[in-house]
């Protein structure tokens, strides 16, 4: 039995290594196609190494016996996000082709709706898979906000940074860690962030329209986070009433 567990663990870890290899291959293809500079290469490689290290550690701690089809889809999205990250880093020196940037980002956003469906249909939903999916989404939004901020100003960074500020705040106020009830509105706002930032970043519309699109994304996100924080705060104020103990128990003490 121990040998089987060890073998399964190696197979799971091999998939993360394959993912890192595919990420490097994508960077090679991008570098060949657009002549990517050192910033893009270093950022893309750092993303690949960090993703491999963090995911490998998470898999080791969770002791999953199989990586699962849904996680493979999410890993594919992470590889695309790594390519987008490299392009954005390279854009500080030279603007990447808009079609390439839009294409990679659009596929990553489309696949966001696939991994969850695959997990449910195959019965392979796991806390690790949900967290992996969420972190990939959050990082893509951060990268897109960095890209859009270069044309519109640093205020756009609030879109990508809000989730990380929330996580940091939860270290100070633990009540923010409480579970939130399911919300279609929250999921819709989260899905719209990438789409709206991609529209603004593609620069296919007049500048003022693009600014309005980015502002809409920020406004929706502030509303969504504000509503959830208010719910968590109100819930934390509600304390269960103390249970009155019978007098005989008090006397017995």
């Amino acid at each position: 039995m121990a040998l089987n567990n060890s073998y399964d663990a190696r197979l799971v870890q091999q998939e993360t290594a394959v993912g890192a290899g595919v990420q490097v291959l994508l960077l090679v293809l991008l570098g060949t196609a657009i002549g990517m500079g050192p910033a893009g290469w270093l950022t893309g490689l750092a993303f690949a190494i960090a993703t491999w290290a963090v995911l490998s550690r998470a898999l080791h701690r969770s002791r999953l016996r199989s990586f699962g089809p849904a996680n493979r889809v999410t890993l594919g999205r992470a590889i695309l996000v790594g390519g987008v990250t490299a392009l954005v880093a390279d854009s500080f020196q030279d603007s990447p082709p808009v079609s390439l940037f839009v294409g990679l980002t659009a596929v990553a956003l489309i696949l966001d709706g696939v991994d969850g469906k695959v997990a449910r249909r195959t019965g392979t939903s796991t806390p690790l898979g949900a967290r992996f999916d969420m972190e990939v989404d959050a990082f893509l939004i951060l990268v897109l906000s960095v890209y859009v901020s270069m044309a519109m100003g640093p205020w756009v960074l609030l879109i990508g940074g809000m989730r990380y500020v929330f996580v940091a705040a939860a270290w100070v106020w633990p009540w923010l860690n409480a579970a939130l009830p399911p919300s279609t509105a929250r999921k819709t706002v989260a899905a719209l962030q990438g789409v709206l930032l991609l529209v603004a970043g593609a620069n296919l519309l007049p500048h003022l329209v693009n600014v309005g699109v980015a502002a809409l994304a920020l406004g929706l996100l502030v509303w969504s986070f504000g509503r959830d924080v208010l719910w968590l705060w109100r819930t934390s104020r509600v304390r269960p009433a103390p249970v009155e103990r019978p007098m005989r128990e008090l006397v017995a003490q």
Side-chain angles (χ1 to χ4, degrees):
M1 183 64 69
L3 290 177
N4 289 337
N5 287 337
S6 176
Y7 180 69
D8 289 341
R10 286 198 299 269
L11 283 179
V12 171
Q13 296 296 339
Q14 285 172 4
E15 300 216 31
T16 64
V18 171
V22 175
Q23 179 73 82
V24 173
L25 177 60
L26 177 60
L27 294 176
V28 171
L29 294 175
L30 291 176
T32 303
I34 66 173
M36 195 161 55
W41 275 105
L42 291 175
T43 303
L45 290 173
F47 179 89
I49 294 171
T51 301
W52 168 78
V54 173
L55 185 56
S56 295
R57 178 175 175 79
L59 287 168
H60 177 73
R61 296 179 64 180
S62 66
R63 298 185 179 276
L64 288 180
R65 294 177 60 84
S66 173
F67 195 64
N71 284 335
R72 293 189 185 103
V73 176
T74 307
L75 182 59
R77 285 203 302 119
I79 292 169
L80 294 175
V81 172
V84 175
T85 302
L87 291 177
V88 171
D90 193 61
S91 68
F92 283 91
Q93 297 177 339
D94 189 18
S95 297
V98 174
S99 58
L100 183 59
F101 170 78
V102 171
L104 286 178
T105 306
V107 174
L109 291 173
I110 292 172
L111 289 178
D112 184 26
V114 174
D115 45 12
K117 292 181 180 179
V118 171
R120 288 187 293 272
R121 289 183 179 180
T122 58
T124 55
S125 299
T126 62
L128 173 61
R131 180 65 181 273
F132 185 25
D133 176 59
M134 180 177 63
E135 295 299 339
V136 172
D137 291 342
F139 193 80
L140 177 58
I141 298 304
L142 176 63
V143 170
L144 292 177
S145 67
V146 170
Y147 182 75
V148 176
S149 71
M150 288 188 283
M152 299 185 187
W155 64 271
V156 184
L157 295 175
L158 293 172
I159 299 174
M162 197 171 301
R163 189 256 173 181
Y164 296 98
V165 170
F166 180 86
V167 172
W171 286 89
V172 181
W173 299 293
W175 51 268
L176 290 171
N177 287 313
L180 287 163
S183 170
T184 301
R186 185 188 310 116
K187 292 179 180 180
T188 302
V189 170
L192 282 174
Q193 296 305 303
V195 175
L196 294 175
L197 285 174
L198 178 59
V199 170
N203 203 27
L204 299 176
L205 302 173
H207 179 72
L208 287 179
V209 176
N210 288 330
V211 171
V213 170
L216 175 61
L218 179 58
L220 289 173
L221 198 60
V222 169
W223 171 79
S224 180
F225 268 95
R227 189 184 67 155
D228 286 344
V229 169
L230 182 60
W231 187 91
L232 290 169
W233 180 79
R234 286 177 174 174
T235 304
S236 70
R237 301 294 96 184
V238 179
R239 304 297 183 188
V243 178
E244 294 186 3
R245 302 173 64 183
M247 181 60 68
R248 62 177 178 271
E249 292 186 11
L250 299 177
V251 172
Q253 292 182 349

